[in-house]
Amino acid sequence: LVVTRALNDKRSAGSLLDVMTSIHQCLEADADIINLSLGCWSCPLPRELVGKVGCCQENEVTIFQDFIDTVAQRSLVVAAAGNVIFEDFAGGHYIPASFGSVVGVGTITDGYTPAKFSNRNSQIEFVSPGVNIPSTDVCTPDECTYRFRSGT
């Protein structure tokens, strides 16, 4: 198991270079599977999404896709399909889950229906439970606390 952090703790923000660096660390450790619980929409965004979600510029997407396609020749790449309730929009894709070399994962409830927050589109190849899942919250050297979380 290889654990890396590509995003800032406070805002869950970072650059594609940060993500690529973390993925490279996984490759150096011979990871067979790389799981990415992150992403962004491709630009341009439709008017109703501007200011609500971030997007990756086309030149960034091209570089990142080439990188991920190369990584996928060596490791299985799995990525969250996103936690925003927007159906496919013209020209819009959630990166990197929408890449052909990546397995896009959505979320279902314990009743086997799509979670209300999980993206629903053609990019999802696999779904898994993701509503009210016990997860570590704060860990110290002596103990960890847990709380229930939801997401892809």
Side-chain angles (χ1 to χ4, degrees), residues 6-83:
L7 305 179
N8 176 298
D9 279 338
K10 305 228 185 264
R11 297 181 302 120
S12 293
S15 70
L16 289 178
L17 180 60
D18 296 332
V19 174
M20 292 166 68
T21 300
S22 286
I23 292 170
H24 187 262
Q25 291 170 352
C26 294
L27 290 175
E28 286 182 330
D30 292 324
D32 293 322
I33 301 170
I34 298 173
N35 181 42
L36 303 170
S37 185
L38 52 81
C40 63
W41 289 101
S42 62
C43 294
L45 292 171
R47 188 172 308 136
E48 65 270 17
L49 299 185
V50 173
K52 295 180 182 176
V53 296
C55 67
C56 299
Q57 299 299 321
E58 187 175 334
N59 62 329
E60 295 174 317
V61 172
T62 301
I63 293 167
F64 192 49
Q65 183 165 7
D66 290 345
F67 175 78
I68 292 293
D69 289 347
T70 301
V71 170
Q73 293 174 14
R74 189 165 148 195
S75 301
L76 175 64
V77 181
V78 179
N83 296 329

Side-chain angles (χ1 to χ4, degrees), residues 74-138:
R74 189 165 148 195
S75 301
L76 175 64
V77 181
V78 179
N83 296 329
V84 186
I85 316 168
F86 300 114
E87 299 292 331
D88 269 338
F89 55 85
H93 298 284
Y94 199 70
I95 308 303
S98 65
F99 296 158
S101 59
V102 174
V103 176
V105 179
T107 298
I108 57 173
T109 67
D110 58 1
Y112 304 104
T113 59
K116 64 182 178 181
F117 57 81
S118 183
N119 289 340
R120 298 167 182 85
N121 53 43
S122 60
Q123 301 164 20
I124 297 172
E125 299 170 82
F126 184 79
V127 293
S128 65
V131 178
N132 293 323
I133 304 297
S135 180
T136 54
D137 188 31
V138 177

